[in-house]
Structures are given as C-alpha cells and as structure tokens.
C-alpha cells in the first residue's frame, strides 16, 4: 500500500488544520494465537484535509481496516489515531 509522506505533525500548532486524520505506528490484529491476523502493521499515514485520497491494494491488504480505524469506528491494537 502506498502512503503519503508524513509532512505534518498533528500534535504541533497548525498541524491539525491541514490534516483530517493521522495514523502513527498503527497495528491492528484480529484474533489471537494461531488465528491471529495482522491486518495493519505499524502504519504511518496522514490524510490531508480538502484533498481526495485513494487507498489502493489487493483484497485483504487492510484498506477497510485502515479506514475503520482512521474514522474511529474500530479500535487499534497498537499505535495512535488523530482525527481533526
Ligand atoms: N472482523 C474480522 N475478523 C477477523 N479478520 C478480519 C476481520 N476483518 C478483516 N479481517 C482480516 O484482515 C485482513 C484485512 O482485511 P480488510 O477487510 O481490511 O482488507 P481490504 O483491503 O479492505 O479487502 P477487500 O479489498 O476485499 O475489501 C484480511 O486478512 C481479513 O481477512
Ligand atoms: Mg475492504
């Protein structure tokens, strides 16, 4: 999956104005033990405000999982999400 360069730091003043959502070192795992599936593995991405962003990749690569986590609709296993 291609990710945008991390240009903005959402924790710095002004950063949040330019970035709609950010992920830092986000890992999402479903299940545990032998059935554990790592859908996202330490993802860093900034979704810029006012721009169209496409998330592309093969089936099962974690596109829906990433969007659910970025939107706050699902929890992350590790890492942090900032919205707004
Ligand atoms: N609720 C769930 N429980 C267990 N595993 C899941 C769950 N949701 C997704 N997965 C697994 O996580 C991985 C990523 O799935 P995800 O649905 O995010 O991929 P996707 O890129 O959106 O795929 P598609 O293009 O088919 O929509 C896959 O291996 C999938 O089987
Ligand atoms: Mg999907």
């Amino acid at each position: 999956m291609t990710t945008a360069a991390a240009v903005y730091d959402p924790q710095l003043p002004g950063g949040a104005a330019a970035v709609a959502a950010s992920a830092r070192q986000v890992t999402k795992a479903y299940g545990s033990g032998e059935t554990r599936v790592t859908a996202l593995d330490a993802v860093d991405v900034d979704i810029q405000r006012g721009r169209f962003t496409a998330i592309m990749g093969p089936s099962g690569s974690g596109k829906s999982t990433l969007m659910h986590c970025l939107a706050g609709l699902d929890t992350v296993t590790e890492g942090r999400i900032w919205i707004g």
Side-chain angles (χ1 to χ4, degrees), residues 30 37 39 58-65:
Y30 296 105
V37 173
S59 181
S61 62
K63 304 180 298 291
S64 292
T65 300

Side-chain angles (χ1 to χ4, degrees), residues 22-72:
S22 291
R24 290 292 179 274
Q25 291 296 294
V26 166
T27 294
K28 175 66 178 182
Y30 296 105
S32 60
E34 291 184 358
T35 62
R36 178 183 166 110
V37 173
T38 303
L40 302 176
D41 187 4
V43 172
D44 291 315
V45 67
D46 291 322
I47 306 298
Q48 295 184 26
R49 187 179 300 277
R51 309 254 331 243
F52 288 101
T53 299
I55 301 176
M56 301 187 293
S59 181
S61 62
K63 304 180 298 291
S64 292
T65 300
L66 177 61
M67 287 191 287
H68 294 161
C69 291
L70 282 172

